């Protein structure tokens, strides 16, 4: 068994884990990160992309509101290329109590959340699709973010400082010697190989899976997986983040993100963060609540529904998951449980990931005798050279500048042949990884016209490697096609009506009736070990199809 020796092993490749890896590396601490799937495979890649101003929690959860307000300013400084400054409105609809606005304003003042009441006329001038019957409007510093890109850039920066990141490496056991955790055994999902990683400290940043990881060391951490369903609509009917001005509830946020608008979310407890589906009544609720903010909301085309699982840390009894604080907590298991060598960072929001990482790394650095201060609040994340762009306008400008219309692989999201090849060369293990890198397959056709093109490029790359003597002759087309189509299908069954139903039928005709994808030979599904491809493994199976 291969053995890797480091100072700190970070478990979890979401925003917090990547932030911890970068912070550790910038302080000169040797660190390795393992993630069971692709980076952002978990909750980070499954939220609506909102950079919180703090307004949402200003009344109900003041500590979380203050943390968001502080980090909102820092994120705008260190990752301007990952954030679209949309601004945000909190509006009182006819279903909301207008007097709550005064409570909201006072909560913002107390928690340091920048907020200003604006006239209804001004709000409607800037967002004409809004419900004309709103009675009050407040402006805050909300924004939308590309969480895929931000995480990738944190990892890129960490690597620059000497860290190592291992995606598709699932923890199968924590190594405990007496009262101390000394490392972990991980499985490389692309080869099946087990590796031993020895570390002075293990930092559990596994989000909704933190309880499962801690349990491997015999430590109990209660993380309540709270499922939140979101629906992507085919049009940015608003260009500002729109919130209902009331206590947080289901379906009260619309976030303009890239080429779409996302409405969310629900909050339902699920017993396992890997086992959940999208229930039809949740989608119906999103559509109903969306129409209260934008009256013609249901006339737009719902492209896809999906869910993420909030990593809510529960240290006291509450009646409802929404009553659990959205703030975070660092658990030093030597003090809490008498187990040395292990810390868990739990709870929190995407907006506060950097702050969470700083606190966790401060604690570990102190134990290691490292006195280097945290610098992540002042050092800008690098630009990625792989061709990632947060706003569609930038991508279109690049295509016009380079005259690469003929190279488009995904017309919906303007993904070019060069973008796909760059993702493959950067280490994508399946087409879903390419989606996270480029947004391929995330537009109206949901992969109908770009999936087979991407697979063809994968085979083209493989043939080129073969010519150089670098890979085997096993075709993986069938496995890649089936895996991506199935992943896209999970989010479609809940929104199949009108145009999206017609689109799904067209995709079915192309892939089943014409191409016969279901009749293709296994094509590598039983021989993936060593091919660098992962399409079938229980560790990456998330969300089931409710159809």
């Amino acid at each position: 068994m291969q053995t890797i020796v480091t100072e700190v092993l970070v478990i979890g490749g979401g925003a917090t884990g990547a932030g911890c890896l970068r912070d550790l590396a910038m302080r000169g601490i040797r660190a390795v990160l393992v993630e069971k799937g692709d980076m952002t495979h978990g909750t980070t890649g499954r939220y609506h992309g909102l950079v919180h101003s703090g307004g949402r929690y200003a009344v109900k959860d003041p500590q979380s509101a203050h943390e968001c307000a502080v980090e909102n300013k820092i994120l705008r400084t260190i990752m301007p290329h990952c954030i679209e400054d949309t601004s945000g409105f909190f509006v009182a609809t006819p279903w909301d109590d207008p007097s709550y606005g005064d409570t909201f304003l006072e909560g913002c003042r107390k928690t340091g959340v920048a907020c200003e009441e604006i006239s209804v006329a001004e709000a409607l001038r800037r967002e004409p699709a809004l419900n004309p019957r709103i009675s009050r409007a407040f402006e805050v510093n909300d924004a939308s973010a590309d969480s895929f890109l931000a995480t990738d850039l944190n990892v890129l920066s960490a690597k620059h400082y000497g860290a190592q990141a291992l995606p598709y490496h699932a923890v199968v056991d924590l190594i405990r010697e007496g009262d101390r955790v000394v490392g972990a055994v991980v499985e490389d999902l692309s080869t099946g190989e087990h590796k031993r990683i020895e570390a002075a400290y293990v930092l559990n940043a596994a989000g909704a899976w933190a309880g499962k990881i801690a349990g491997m060391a015999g430590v109990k951490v209660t993380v309540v997986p709270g499922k939140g369903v979101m629906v992507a609509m085919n049009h940015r009917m608003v260009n500002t983040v729109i919130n209902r001005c009331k206590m947080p509830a289901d379906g009260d946020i619309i976030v303009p993100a890239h080429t779409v608008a996302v409405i969310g979310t629900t909050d339902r407890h699920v017993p396992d963060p890997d086992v959940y589906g999208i229930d039809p009544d949740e989608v119906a609720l999103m559509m109903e609540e969306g129409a209260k903010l934008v009256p013609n909301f249901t006339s737009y085309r719902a492209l896809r529904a999906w869910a993420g699982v909030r990593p809510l840390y529960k240290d006291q009894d509450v009646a409802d998951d929404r009553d659990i604080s959205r703030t975070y907590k660092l658990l030093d298991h030597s003090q809490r449980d008498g187990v040395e060598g292990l810390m868990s960072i739990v709870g929190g929001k995407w907006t506060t990931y950097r702050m969470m990482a700083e606190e966790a790394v401060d604690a570990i650095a102190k134990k290691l005798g490292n006195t280097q201060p945290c610098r992540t609040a002042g050092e800008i994340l690098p630009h990625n050279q792989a061709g990632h762009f947060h706003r569609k306008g930038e991508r279109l400008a690049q295509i016009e500048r380079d005259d690469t219309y003929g190279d488009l692989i995904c017309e919906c999201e303007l993904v070019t042949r060069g973008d796909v090849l760059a993702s493959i060369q950067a280490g994508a293990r399946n087409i879903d990884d390419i989606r996270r890198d480029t947004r391929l397959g995330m537009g109206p056709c949901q992969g109908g016209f770009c999936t087979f093109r991407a697979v063809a490029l994968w085979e083209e790359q493989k043939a080129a490697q073969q010519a150089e003597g670098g890979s085997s002759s096993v075709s993986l087309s069938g496995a890649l096609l089936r895996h991506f189509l199935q992943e896209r299908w999970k989010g479609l069954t809940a929104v199949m009506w009108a145009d999206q139903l017609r689109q799904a039928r067209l995709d079915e005709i192309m892939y089943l009736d014409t191409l016969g994808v279901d009749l293709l030979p296994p094509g590598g599904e039983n021989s993936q070990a060593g091919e660098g491809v992962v399409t079938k493994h229980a560790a990456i199976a998330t969300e089931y199809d409710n159809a």
Side-chain angles (χ1 to χ4, degrees):
M1 181 186 301
Q2 179 186 356
T3 299
I4 300 172
V5 179
T6 186
E7 287 183 281
V8 179
L9 169 62
V10 180
I11 299 174
T16 306
C20 290
L21 186 73
R22 182 185 190 227
D23 199 335
L24 287 161
M26 288 174 72
R27 300 193 205 201
I29 299 172
R30 289 182 296 121
V32 174
L33 179 149
V34 292
E35 161 58 45
K36 67 176 183 175
D38 189 19
M39 305 299 294
T40 72
H41 171 79
T43 307
T44 295
R46 289 174 166 270
Y47 93 119
H48 43 43
L50 173 60
V51 182
H52 280 280
S53 62
R56 183 168 177 79
Y57 307 112
V59 176
K60 189 172 184 177
D61 194 349
Q63 182 178 346
S64 186
H66 178 69
E67 291 167 357
C68 288
V70 170
E71 287 300 296
N72 182 294
K73 294 177 183 176
I74 293 173
L75 296 185
R76 289 168 184 269
T77 300
I78 65 170
M79 55 170 71
H81 40 311
C82 303
I83 292 175
E84 182 180 359
D85 187 9
T86 61
S87 188
F89 291 166
F90 278 74
V91 298
T93 72
W95 293 266
D96 306 322
D97 177 5
S99 68
Y100 178 81
D102 297 328
T103 306
F104 174 73
L105 262 180
E106 180 62 11
C108 289
R109 186 189 66 77
K110 288 181 177 177
T111 55
V113 176
C115 179
E116 178 187 5
E117 183 162 12
I118 61 175
S119 69
V120 169
E122 173 63 10
L124 293 175
R125 183 190 70 79
R126 290 167 57 182
E127 292 296 348
L130 267 179
N131 190 330
R133 295 167 61 204
I134 61 173
S135 58
R136 300 184 75 176
F138 304 86
E139 184 165 18
V140 297
N141 289 331
D142 284 341
S144 68
D146 188 326
S147 59
F148 303 114
L149 177 58
T151 303
D152 283 347
L153 296 186
N154 269 285
V155 172
L156 184 66
S157 175
K159 289 180 176 177
H160 171 76
Y161 283 103
Q164 186 177 9
L166 301 174
Y168 289 103
H169 281 67
V171 176
V172 296
D173 196 14
L174 291 183
I175 306 169
R176 180 169 170 171
E177 295 180 353
D179 290 334
R180 185 173 192 90
V181 173
V182 297
V185 176
V186 301
E187 178 186 357
D188 182 340
L189 303 191
S190 64
T191 65
E193 179 188 4
H194 282 203
K195 301 174 183 175
R196 179 185 175 95
I197 302 179
E198 298 177 354
Y201 283 91
V202 173
L203 178 54
N204 175 14
W209 293 263
K212 290 187 174 184
I213 295 296
M216 294 180 183
V219 171
K220 183 177 181 180
V221 172
T222 303
V223 177
V224 179
K227 180 186 68 170
V229 167
M230 290 146 279
V231 180
M233 309 301 289
N234 73 321
H235 188 69
R236 284 173 61 132
M237 72 286 290
V238 292
N239 286 303
T240 306
V241 174
I242 307 296
N243 307 260
R244 291 270 292 278
C245 193
K246 62 172 187 170
M247 294 293 274
D250 293 349
D252 56 359
I253 306 175
I254 300 176
V255 180
H258 293 277
T259 58
V260 302
V262 178
I263 185 166
T265 66
T266 56
D267 193 347
R268 290 186 179 178
H269 173 71
V270 292
D272 188 319
D274 286 316
V275 184
Y276 60 86
I278 311 298
D279 297 318
D281 66 299
E282 294 177 287
V283 174
L285 178 63
M286 292 299 103
M287 304 305 288
E288 180 182 340
E289 293 300 300
K292 293 176 181 176
L293 286 167
V294 176
N296 65 343
F297 188 81
T298 57
S299 68
Y300 294 97
R301 179 174 171 181
L303 299 179
R304 178 181 177 81
W306 77 97
V309 181
R310 298 179 184 84
L312 304 175
Y313 175 63
K314 185 177 182 180
D315 60 356
Q316 59 184 355
D317 290 335
V318 294
D320 188 276
D321 285 0
R322 282 209 181 272
D323 293 330
I324 300 176
S325 173
R326 268 47 176 171
T327 189
Y328 64 89
K329 194 155 189 175
L330 177 65
L331 306 177
D332 183 341
H333 295 292
S334 65
Q335 300 171 0
R336 179 178 181 265
D337 307 292
V339 177
E340 297 284 347
L342 177 65
M343 288 193 188
S344 297
I345 182 78
V346 293
K349 309 289 298 178
W350 183 87
T351 304
T352 60
Y353 88 86
R354 193 213 61 83
M355 177 185 284
M356 296 166 64
E358 179 177 351
E359 185 168 328
V361 175
D362 277 349
I364 287 181
K366 184 177 180 181
K367 288 180 179 288
L368 291 172
N370 182 300
T371 58
Q372 293 295 313
C374 175
R375 309 197 323 267
T376 57
E379 186 166 316
I380 297 173
L381 288 168
H383 281 266
N384 194 329
Q385 300 302 314
H388 300 306
F389 300 93
H390 180 42
R391 289 176 284 277
K392 187 175 184 179
E394 294 177 30
R395 181 169 276 175
L396 178 60
Q398 171 97 4
I399 290 171
E400 289 179 338
R401 185 166 57 249
D402 298 344
D403 192 17
T404 50
Y405 293 103
D407 287 342
L408 286 177
I409 301 299
C410 172
E411 287 89 349
C412 299
E413 295 292 335
L414 300 180
V415 180
T416 66
R417 172 187 173 91
D419 296 329
V420 175
L421 290 176
S423 177
I424 296 171
Q425 290 163 359
R429 308 295 176 88
N430 51 54
I431 306 302
D432 210 32
D433 287 2
I434 298 175
R435 174 188 67 82
R436 279 183 280 267
D437 284 346
T438 66
R439 292 186 61 80
L440 176 133
M442 295 176 74
C445 78
Q446 289 291 297
F449 292 93
C450 59
T451 302
F452 60 85
R453 295 170 180 168
V455 171
L457 275 182
W458 190 293
E459 291 291 336
E460 183 180 306
Q461 279 287 95
K462 181 170 168 291
Q465 291 170 355
Q466 272 185 265
E468 297 174 359
S471 68
S472 72
S473 60
V474 178
S475 172
L476 301 168
S477 299
L480 291 167
L481 274 170
R482 277 190 285 268
H483 175 255
F484 189 63
L485 292 173
Q486 193 59 41
E487 288 300 306
R488 291 284 90 189
W489 176 254
K490 288 176 183 175
L492 284 175
T493 53
V495 297
M496 280 206 294
W497 65 81
D499 284 342
Q500 203 57 27
L501 175 59
R502 298 183 185 95
Q503 180 68 61
R505 176 59 180 142
L506 175 60
D507 293 348
E508 181 184 31
I509 290 171
M510 287 193 296
Y511 283 96
L512 295 182
D513 298 350
T514 304
L515 296 178
V517 169
D518 56 328
L519 303 176
L520 290 174
E525 283 172 325
N526 298 321
S527 57
Q528 290 180 24
E531 298 294 334
V533 169
V534 183
T535 59
K536 290 182 69 175
H537 196 288
I540 62 168
T542 297
E543 188 180 325
Y544 55 78
D545 183 8
N546 266 348

